[in-house]
Amino acid sequence: MKLILLTALCVLVCAKHEEYIGWKSYYVRPVSKADFKIFRAMIERYELDILRHPISGREGIILVKPEHQAGFKQEAAAAGISVKIHRENVKQELDFDDMRIKRHNRECFARNGGRKLPYESYQQIEAINNYTDYIGATYPKVAKVVDAAKSFEGRPIKYIKISTTNFENHRKPVIFIDGGIHAREWIAPPSVTYAIKKLVEDVTQKDLLDRFDWILLPVVNPDGYKFTFTKSRFWRKTRSKGQSTITQICPGVDGNRNYDFRFGTVGSNHYACSDVYCGSQAFSEVETRVVRDILQENLSRVALYVTMHSFASVILYPWAHDGSRSHNIFDLHSVGVEMASAIHKKSLPNFPKYIVGNSALVLNYLASGTSIDYAHSIGINLTYAFELPGISEDLEGFNLSPDYIEQVVRETWAGIVVGARKAGDLFIK
Ligand SMILES: *[C@@H]1O[C@H](CO)[C@@H](O)[C@H](O)[C@H]1NC(C)=O
Ligand SMILES: *[C@@H]1O[C@H](CO)[C@@H](O)[C@H](O)[C@H]1NC(C)=O
Ligand SMILES: *[C@@H]1O[C@H](CO)[C@@H](O)[C@H](O)[C@H]1NC(C)=O
Ligand SMILES: [Zn+2]
């Protein structure tokens, strides 16, 4: 009986992720500038999917399809770039991850007396939307839910405005945090829902409500996010079709290449099947237009914009498109470092230390049309991309292990608290 049950479970669970049969993941460690140049050329040639960018002193983690593994390894060896296997069997690893997540969700459910909270387990989009609605309905004096638009596939894109003064005190600076533009980066949405909790349900830093209005958008890209639960775990883009005939076969746009600043110039691709496809034009995606409109609506008041990604344990700031210094470099760097040190104080010994810096210089990789560059270009002084940690069983994995979700959202919140206060001090109205 037991055996039959187990087999049945495996049929249910293990039939998933079949598209990743034969895929492997590798550590890759380019060192010199020349190595990085070769590595960047290999990304396109071997369709490497970068899960974690290599940075100076820290290896990257990449996914490689079966047909490209031999060529990739050969070329890396010829160039003297160190490559080590990370996971031999990516599909099996994803099956294990599913089981870990199921077990974790069961435990959370029991611990919380039957109430699942979207911040301590990975949650489907419906549960996150339910949570947002629940907050709006339960705390109408401070929290307002905005149904900003429908995604390409018709899902609501919801954000929450938090204000003790009904957003009517125009002298208050605004803090805006979004997550989930990249579908597969599952730890990003909980880091935003946890901020909602800390500003509405479990307030321990009241000054953050007195001083600021908040806009929190947990899932910018609900279609892609959903798709990573139902179909392809490594989906990154939106799910839009119809920008050109090829998007019928290769749907979706990399939202973080779709913003209107140096659009489509570097570190993005005009070929629709690419994972960094920038789209047919800037703001082709309704999902990025929602973020644009939030930024624009009260532009003069936005003191801090943070966009949540994973995984790398880095805090990145503009300019991502060319690595040049922003006019505000001093504040950008010092607030970034203060956020990182607040996170370190709450972090665990087995977590990598955060690295803070200019996006292009830290990643050795230029990217155009990003939200941090766009927000900065329209006048927001402090804009950051957080690449949250990805630790699994003490080994960096695909998912952040679900046992660490609560740890990551708590330490990340500690960074946001410090970032908001510093941004408030620097903000000149
Ligand atoms: C969301 O809320 C609706 C209505 O309250 C409920 O029927 C549904 O089961 C909830 N879904 C999830 C995933 O929590
Ligand atoms: C932006 O400011 C206008 C007035 O200046 C106000 O009516 C509106 O509610 C504000 N929106 C947000 C998101 O703060
Ligand atoms: C943005 O920073 C610059 C200095 O880098 C400063 O002059 C300006 O007042 C700041 N703007 C706001 C709104 O704080
Ligand atoms: Zn990302």
Side-chain angles (χ1 to χ4, degrees), residues 300 302 327-329 331 379-381 423 426-429:
S300 62
V302 182
H327 69 279
N328 199 38
I329 177 75
D331 289 345
I380 297 170
N381 269 351
L426 290 167
F427 190 71
I428 299 159
K429 179 76 194 180

Side-chain angles (χ1 to χ4, degrees), residues 229-272:
F229 281 85
T230 55
K231 182 75 191 19
S232 297
R233 177 63 188 91
F234 292 116
W235 192 258
R236 169 181 165 96
K237 300 189 282 183
T238 61
R239 294 290 303 161
S240 63
K241 289 179 185 167
Q243 307 206 16
S244 65
T245 42
I246 191 164
T247 58
Q248 293 298 327
I249 310 160
C250 290
V253 165
D254 182 343
N256 206 31
R257 300 292 183 275
N258 191 238
Y259 287 80
D260 192 11
F261 187 72
R262 300 290 189 270
F263 171 81
T265 52
V266 290
S268 71
N269 202 314
H270 290 272
Y271 174 53

Side-chain angles (χ1 to χ4, degrees), residues 116 123-131 133 226:
K116 278 197 212 178
Q123 296 286 350
Q124 298 256 359
I125 183 66
E126 295 81 6
I128 295 175
N129 286 341
N130 274 9
Y131 177 68
D133 288 343
K226 181 77 189 174

Side-chain angles (χ1 to χ4, degrees), residues 51-308:
L51 294 180
R52 188 178 76 182
H53 276 278
I55 57 185
S56 313
R58 213 182 261 179
E59 67 244 297
I61 298 177
I62 54 167
L63 271 177
V64 191
K65 294 178 186 175
E67 63 267 32
H68 289 312
Q69 286 160 6
F72 159 71
K73 281 194 295 191
Q74 213 165 32
E75 186 169 340
I81 297 175
S82 151
V83 165
K84 271 188 320 193
I85 193 76
H86 170 252
R87 290 288 195 273
E88 270 296 338
N89 189 336
V90 164
K91 179 198 176 312
Q92 191 182 63
E93 194 59 35
L94 291 175
D95 292 334
F96 288 156
D97 264 349
D98 284 351
M99 286 187 239
R100 277 196 281 268
I101 290 168
K102 276 215 174 96
R103 191 188 59 213
H104 176 85
N105 283 0
R106 266 199 315 273
E107 287 165 6
C108 285
F109 194 68
R111 202 168 49 237
N112 294 323
R115 182 172 178 244
K116 278 197 212 178
L117 295 177
Y119 68 86
E120 60 175 11
S121 53
Y122 294 121
Q123 296 286 350
Q124 298 256 359
I125 183 66
E126 295 81 6
I128 295 175
N129 286 341
N130 274 9
Y131 177 68
T132 313
D133 288 343
Y134 159 79
I135 291 289
T138 314
Y139 303 93
K141 283 213 186 83
V142 286
K144 291 217 162 32
V145 178
V146 180
D147 273 297
K150 292 255 186 277
S151 66
F152 182 82
E153 291 178 347
R155 295 189 176 82
I157 303 174
K158 283 176 190 281
Y159 64 87
I160 198 151
K161 290 166 56 163
I162 297 168
S163 173
T164 52
T165 46
N166 201 26
F167 264 81
E168 281 161 4
N169 179 351
H170 294 147
R171 286 218 297 277
K172 272 168 117 177
V174 171
I175 315 279
F176 174 29
I177 306 174
D178 74 33
I181 180 79
H182 285 149
R184 66 193 183 191
E185 298 168 4
W186 282 4
I187 185 57
S191 70
V192 184
T193 49
Y194 188 71
I196 298 175
K197 175 187 158 79
K198 291 303 295 171
L199 289 164
V200 181
E201 288 186 292
D202 177 23
V203 180
T204 48
Q205 290 105 346
K206 195 169 164 296
D207 62 305
L208 298 179
L209 289 163
D210 296 337
R211 283 179 80 183
F212 305 105
D213 287 343
W214 294 77
I215 299 176
L216 301 166
L217 168 47
V219 186
V220 177
N221 172 16
D223 297 346
Y225 185 68
K226 181 77 189 174
F227 196 66
T228 60
F229 281 85
T230 55
K231 182 75 191 19
S232 297
R233 177 63 188 91
F234 292 116
W235 192 258
R236 169 181 165 96
K237 300 189 282 183
T238 61
R239 294 290 303 161
S240 63
K241 289 179 185 167
Q243 307 206 16
S244 65
T245 42
I246 191 164
T247 58
Q248 293 298 327
I249 310 160
C250 290
V253 165
D254 182 343
N256 206 31
R257 300 292 183 275
N258 191 238
Y259 287 80
D260 192 11
F261 187 72
R262 300 290 189 270
F263 171 81
T265 52
V266 290
S268 71
N269 202 314
H270 290 272
Y271 174 53
C273 298
S274 164
D275 243 359
V276 289
Y277 175 48
C278 56
S280 56
Q281 55 181 315
F283 293 122
S284 59
E285 305 305 284
V286 61
E287 293 81 5
T288 54
R289 292 198 296 272
V290 167
V291 175
R292 173 196 66 189
D293 293 348
I294 293 172
L295 291 167
Q296 292 282 1
E297 189 179 350
N298 291 85
L299 188 54
S300 62
R301 286 215 278 147
V302 182
L304 173 67
Y305 167 62
V306 174
T307 182
M308 296 295 182

